Amino acid sequence: MAKKEYIQKLFDKIAPDYDKLNHILSLNIDKIWRKKAVREVVDSTQPLSVLDVACGTADFTIEIAQKTAEGSIITGIDLSEEMMKVGREKIKAAGLHATLEQGDCEALSYDNDTFDRVSVGFGVRNFEHLDIGLSEMCRVLKPSGKLVILELSVPSNPFIRWCYKLYFLNILPAIGGVVSGNRGAYEYLPASVLHFPTPDKFIPMMHEAGFAQVKHKAFTFGICRMYVGIK
């Protein structure tokens, strides 16, 4: 089975419990990381066109929509229709205007130079072809547009890394499996983090895709990292 098909089916299955488990298993620290990334996305008082890639249940999409100026156009795209069904209900409940569309993040259906900002919150590690996904996000950005990526990472400190792996590879799958009934999904999620490129490899990939002024910031001992690039 191709990775895209696997990812789509996996997230369709866990969509009903995803938000609850995500916040419990991250001890709600993900909310702090997301707010910092949103400030990087919404750095203008002017209306912005923003594409939130791999939007899932729209947590990142919603926060961006809340912070952007009136007249902004916020669009989310994801492979999983079931995740976006949850997201659309949350957007409606929040009284916000944002559109979620099903689509392939490695073959975006938008024209060149369409968006002022592109964001990805905890989803870029699920791309089947990371280089293609980065190039596509660069293509749809306007000149001088900004890409902001927030992604989980493996801490560099040996002791923290040991604790992290103990939690991520043993405790998280057990809890996730009990609550969602799908232990395999919560074994895939930490494995995808462990296999994601380290900053010294990922930053050159961003440059190769067409991004300049790439910067990187680690949060919470390196458990999460933010990457920012300008087209």
Side-chain angles (χ1 to χ4, degrees):
M1 181 187 298
K3 183 176 180 179
K4 287 178 190 176
E5 185 181 353
Y6 173 77
I7 291 296
Q8 182 176 2
K9 290 183 177 180
L10 182 151
F11 282 100
D12 278 346
K13 288 180 181 178
I14 65 174
D17 299 302
Y18 180 81
D19 279 345
K20 177 173 63 177
L21 271 171
N22 187 42
H23 298 313
I24 290 173
L25 294 173
S26 70
L27 306 178
N28 274 329
I29 301 174
D30 63 303
K31 294 181 179 180
I32 298 173
W33 302 331
R34 195 177 291 107
K35 288 184 184 301
K36 292 179 179 180
V38 168
R39 284 198 292 270
E40 189 70 49
V41 174
V42 187
D43 60 354
S44 172
T45 57
Q46 300 300 312
L48 296 170
S49 56
V50 184
L51 177 65
D52 188 27
V53 173
C55 63
T57 59
D59 276 349
F60 210 10
T61 317
I62 288 170
E63 290 204 37
I64 291 169
Q66 289 171 332
K67 297 298 183 182
T68 47
E70 185 177 353
S72 295
I73 300 173
I74 315 300
T75 306
I77 183 171
D78 199 278
L79 280 174
S80 172
E81 180 61 33
E82 293 303 314
M83 292 282 279
M84 289 188 296
K85 283 182 181 178
V86 176
R88 291 186 188 107
E89 288 300 315
K90 289 160 61 177
I91 290 169
K92 182 179 179 181
L96 297 169
H97 296 287
T99 302
L100 304 187
E101 302 173 345
Q102 187 176 32
D104 186 345
C105 301
E106 297 172 19
L108 297 172
S109 60
Y110 311 106
D111 292 336
N112 296 350
D113 309 332
T114 298
F115 298 97
D116 299 303
R117 305 285 184 270
V118 173
S119 61
V120 195
F122 309 114
V124 74
R125 71 181 188 276
N126 295 319
F127 286 13
E128 185 167 6
H129 304 101
L130 188 52
D131 55 340
I132 296 175
L134 288 170
S135 295
E136 275 291 275
M137 291 188 287
C138 187
R139 179 184 65 79
V140 301
L141 269 172
K142 296 176 183 178
S144 300
K146 182 192 291 186
L147 169 67
V148 179
I149 294 173
L150 194 63
E151 191 52 88
L152 296 173
S153 180
V154 179
S156 54
N157 179 281
F159 176 70
I160 296 175
R161 184 168 63 245
W162 180 84
C163 296
Y164 177 82
K165 286 186 175 181
L166 175 67
Y167 175 75
F168 232 39
L169 298 177
N170 296 282
I171 299 172
L172 185 150
I175 297 174
V178 170
V179 175
S180 71
N182 190 335
R183 184 184 175 105
Y186 287 89
E187 289 175 338
Y188 163 78
L189 294 175
S192 66
V193 175
L194 295 176
H195 288 96
F196 190 74
T198 51
D200 63 313
K201 294 183 174 63
F202 188 61
I203 290 173
M205 292 181 71
M206 290 183 66
H207 283 299
E208 184 67 24
F211 293 99
Q213 303 177 43
V214 176
K215 61 181 182 179
H216 149 258
K217 188 171 184 179
F219 300 136
T220 318
F221 307 108
I223 292 174
C224 178
R225 299 180 188 272
M226 180 173 68
Y227 298 90
V228 178
I230 306 296
K231 179 173 178 179

